[in-house]
């Protein structure tokens, strides 16, 4: 599909009615530039892709955007001009800032009721490198806390339910994929949100998108000290930091935060205020500031 669209649809149809494209498909970006259309390229992962000089040095190639310094350096090593590549965090959906106190209360009643005094939530892909296995070990050390996991495919959910049974960890719930409105209320229902990412190769280029969703929820956060998050350590938006890859240190940190940061149905306002700078709308505005005036879309 990429080849067909880039080779035929762009030059024959889109070029006549398109002022600017923004894409993660390099073929599409090349086709746009060759067809006389200004382009923004989005690139988030390490790849052995050499960027053609005739494209990246073309006046119509406006800017390349990535989410990690290590990926930016890698892009420059593969031919991207340093003055045409910027690092910007992914933006979060501002709908996560909307309060859902009634729905959050329903989540708390459903998940912890009168059985558990606290609810810890992880949201994201069910992958070992993201720290899911680490959280299972922490759950075993904190039997008084219900650990809820939102995300993952049906196959992944089934595999982790089986793994929890094998390790006799009973205080866990795997909820699978949740739509944004249900996820937003779940994050607001939690006593704390956990970002347990391992210190692995993936940690060098992961984007803290879920981290921003957490902040928008206004719920206390426990996070591991991985490079993409270190710029936030001095801001005070994280309730507890801990050494990565260490389940007992994660459990200890969670226990401390549960003591120091009681549950607030209305959330912690300072965190919600801080995260607004990382909205999709602000991200788009920052990207467009690197686009020549003549190629920018007119205000609505």
């Amino acid at each position: 599909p990429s080849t067909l669209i880039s080779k035929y649809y762009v030059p024959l149809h889109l070029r006549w009615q398109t002022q600017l494209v923004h894409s993660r498909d390099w073929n599409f970006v090349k086709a746009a530039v060759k067809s006389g259309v200004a382009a923004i390229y989005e690139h988030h992962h390490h790849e052995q892709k050499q960027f053609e000089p005739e494209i990246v040095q073309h006046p119509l190639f406006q800017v390349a955007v990535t989410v990690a310094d290590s990926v930016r350096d890698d892009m420059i090593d593969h031919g991207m001009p340093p003055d045409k590549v910027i690092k910007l965090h992914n933006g979060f959906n501002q709908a996560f800032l909307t309060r859902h106190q009634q729905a959050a209360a329903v989540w708390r009643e459903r998940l912890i009721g009168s059985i558990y005094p606290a609810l810890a939530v992880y949201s994201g892909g069910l992958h070992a490198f993201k720290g899911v296995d680490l959280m299972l070990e922490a759950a075993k050390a904190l039997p008084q806390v219900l650990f809820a996991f939102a995300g993952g495919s049906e196959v992944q959910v089934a595999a982790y339910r089986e793994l929890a049974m094998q390790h006799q960890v009973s205080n866990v719930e795997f909820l699978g994929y949740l739509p944004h409105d249900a996820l937003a209320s779940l994050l607001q229902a939690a006593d704390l949100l956990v970002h347990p990412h391992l210190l692995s190769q993936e940690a060098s280029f992961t984007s803290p998108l879920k981290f921003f969703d957490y902040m928008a929820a206004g719920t206390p956060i426990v996070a591991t000290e991985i490079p993409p998050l270190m710029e936030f350590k001095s801001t005070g938006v994280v309730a507890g930091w801990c050494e990565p890859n260490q389940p007992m240190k994660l459990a200890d940190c969670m226990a401390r935060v549960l003591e120091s940061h009681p549950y607030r149905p209305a959330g912690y306002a300072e965190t919600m205020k801080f995260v607004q700078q990382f909205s999709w709308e602000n991200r788009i505005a920052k990207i467009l500031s690197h686009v020549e005036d003549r190629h920018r879309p007119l205000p609505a």
Side-chain angles (χ1 to χ4, degrees), residues 68-140:
D69 289 321
S70 62
V71 178
R72 181 182 184 276
D73 294 341
D74 189 58
M75 293 172 73
I76 293 170
D77 290 341
H78 286 80
M80 186 66 67
D83 62 334
K84 281 196 172 184
V85 57
I86 61 171
K87 175 223 168 178
L88 274 180
H89 290 304
N90 263 328
F92 78 97
N93 185 338
Q94 290 205 72
F96 279 91
L97 286 168
T98 303
R99 302 308 296 174
H100 304 276
Q101 291 191 29
Q102 184 174 353
V106 171
W107 273 119
R108 288 182 69 81
E109 178 60 31
R110 170 186 165 185
L111 293 172
I112 60 176
S114 58
I115 301 173
Y116 296 96
L119 172 63
V121 170
Y122 164 85
S123 170
L126 295 184
H127 303 288
F129 72 85
K130 287 183 176 288
V132 178
D133 298 60
L134 194 78
M135 276 193 70
L136 287 181
E137 294 184 64
K140 200 164 187 178

Side-chain angles (χ1 to χ4, degrees), residues 99 215 217-220 260-264 266-273:
R99 302 308 296 174
M215 282 193 277
T219 303
S260 63
H261 290 70
Y263 177 69
R264 291 183 184 175
Y268 284 74
E270 58 271 24
T271 307
M272 293 183 282
K273 181 179 179 181

Side-chain angles (χ1 to χ4, degrees), residues 7-288:
K7 190 173 182 178
Y8 300 107
Y9 198 77
V10 172
L12 296 177
H13 300 283
L14 286 184
R15 65 179 297 185
W16 309 112
Q17 54 189 337
T18 304
Q19 180 180 351
L20 177 68
V21 301
H22 182 173
S23 177
R24 290 179 65 169
D25 188 307
W26 183 239
N27 285 337
F28 185 80
V29 168
K30 289 194 295 184
V33 171
K34 290 178 180 178
S35 298
V37 178
I40 301 166
Y41 177 52
E42 190 96 23
H43 185 83
H44 291 187
H45 302 287
H46 293 288
E47 294 178 18
Q48 297 305 309
K49 176 189 297 179
Q50 197 68 31
F51 298 105
E52 296 90 332
E54 65 271 22
I55 300 298
V56 296
Q57 294 174 7
H58 197 287
L60 287 172
F61 185 80
Q62 299 295 291
V63 66
V65 187
T66 189
V67 295
D69 289 321
S70 62
V71 178
R72 181 182 184 276
D73 294 341
D74 189 58
M75 293 172 73
I76 293 170
D77 290 341
H78 286 80
M80 186 66 67
D83 62 334
K84 281 196 172 184
V85 57
I86 61 171
K87 175 223 168 178
L88 274 180
H89 290 304
N90 263 328
F92 78 97
N93 185 338
Q94 290 205 72
F96 279 91
L97 286 168
T98 303
R99 302 308 296 174
H100 304 276
Q101 291 191 29
Q102 184 174 353
V106 171
W107 273 119
R108 288 182 69 81
E109 178 60 31
R110 170 186 165 185
L111 293 172
I112 60 176
S114 58
I115 301 173
Y116 296 96
L119 172 63
V121 170
Y122 164 85
S123 170
L126 295 184
H127 303 288
F129 72 85
K130 287 183 176 288
V132 178
D133 298 60
L134 194 78
M135 276 193 70
L136 287 181
E137 294 184 64
K140 200 164 187 178
L142 295 171
Q144 74 278 19
V145 179
L146 190 282
F147 285 66
F149 297 79
S153 66
E154 291 183 7
V155 172
Q156 290 172 320
V157 168
Y160 269 104
R161 282 176 177 159
E162 178 64 27
L163 185 63
M165 289 179 60
Q166 290 175 6
H167 289 273
Q168 298 181 320
V169 184
S170 59
N171 56 324
V172 294
E173 285 281 347
F174 291 93
L175 304 171
Y177 169 79
L178 295 175
H180 273 185
D181 56 345
L183 178 58
S185 59
L186 174 66
L187 298 185
Q188 294 170 23
D191 290 88
L192 57 83
L193 302 172
V194 189
H195 195 286
H197 206 291
L198 300 185
L199 187 60
S200 57
Q201 181 182 0
E202 291 85 357
S204 68
F205 60 83
T206 189
S207 174
L209 178 55
K210 290 296 179 185
F211 185 68
F212 296 148
D213 292 344
Y214 283 8
M215 282 193 277
T219 303
I221 301 169
V222 168
T224 52
E225 296 171 321
I226 59 171
L229 301 187
M230 287 301 90
E231 67 183 271
F232 302 104
K233 192 168 184 179
S234 63
T235 65
V237 295
V238 172
W241 293 95
C242 65
E243 183 181 340
N245 301 41
Q246 301 294 327
M248 293 306 100
K249 290 187 177 180
L250 175 64
D252 289 344
C253 185
M254 291 174 63
R256 290 196 303 273
V257 172
L258 287 171
E259 284 287 331
S260 63
H261 290 70
Y263 177 69
R264 291 183 184 175
Y268 284 74
E270 58 271 24
T271 307
M272 293 183 282
K273 181 179 179 181
F274 176 86
V275 77
Q276 293 183 37
Q277 63 187 292
F278 299 105
S279 68
W280 274 115
E281 291 82 357
N282 283 337
R283 187 177 196 268
I284 292 167
K286 289 175 183 176
I287 292 172
L288 287 176

